[in-house]
Amino acid sequence: MSPHTPKDPLHGMTLEAILNVLVARYGWDEMGKRVNINCFKSDPSVKSSLKFLRRTPWARAEVEAFYIESLDEPAAPEAELPADSPWANWKAKKEE
């Protein structure tokens, strides 16, 4: 029997996990620009945003739609550190 793979990209994702992914990827400022919700613009926090989104179905739908759209966007490349930086080879050394 083959494992079931759901077609819904939100399957298994909690609202908190979705919010954390979006904050890590875009930050509060960019999220406030892309989704016009005051809880992202005025003193944002995960806790206050979750409280608002759980009580406001239209706002939650917008955030979920934004998350689904973000899955299609390529990830932003990580900023390159200058070669003379002591942290430039940190990841390579850690993986060895």
Side-chain angles (χ1 to χ4, degrees):
M1 188 171 174
S2 65
H4 180 267
T5 55
K7 293 182 181 183
D8 181 12
L10 298 175
H11 181 77
M13 293 290 293
T14 63
L15 184 58
E16 183 175 7
I18 291 170
L19 197 57
N20 285 328
V21 167
L22 292 173
V23 170
R25 186 167 185 179
Y26 297 103
W28 291 111
D29 290 336
E30 183 65 23
M31 286 177 59
K33 292 176 187 173
R34 293 189 181 206
V35 181
N36 191 16
I37 299 175
N38 283 339
C39 68
F40 294 164
K41 296 177 181 181
S42 175
D43 194 27
S45 71
V46 172
K47 184 177 178 180
S48 66
S49 297
L50 284 173
K51 185 176 180 180
F52 175 76
L53 293 171
R54 287 180 177 140
R55 294 178 180 195
T56 317
W58 65 265
R60 182 178 183 147
E62 284 192 30
V63 171
E64 289 174 346
F66 177 47
Y67 172 74
I68 292 170
E69 289 173 14
S70 76
L71 295 176
D72 295 334
E73 293 179 16
E78 292 184 25
E80 291 291 326
L81 292 171
D84 62 341
S85 168
W87 298 104
N89 296 320
W90 177 76
K91 284 188 178 180
K93 289 179 182 178
K94 185 178 177 185
E95 292 173 359
E96 291 177 358

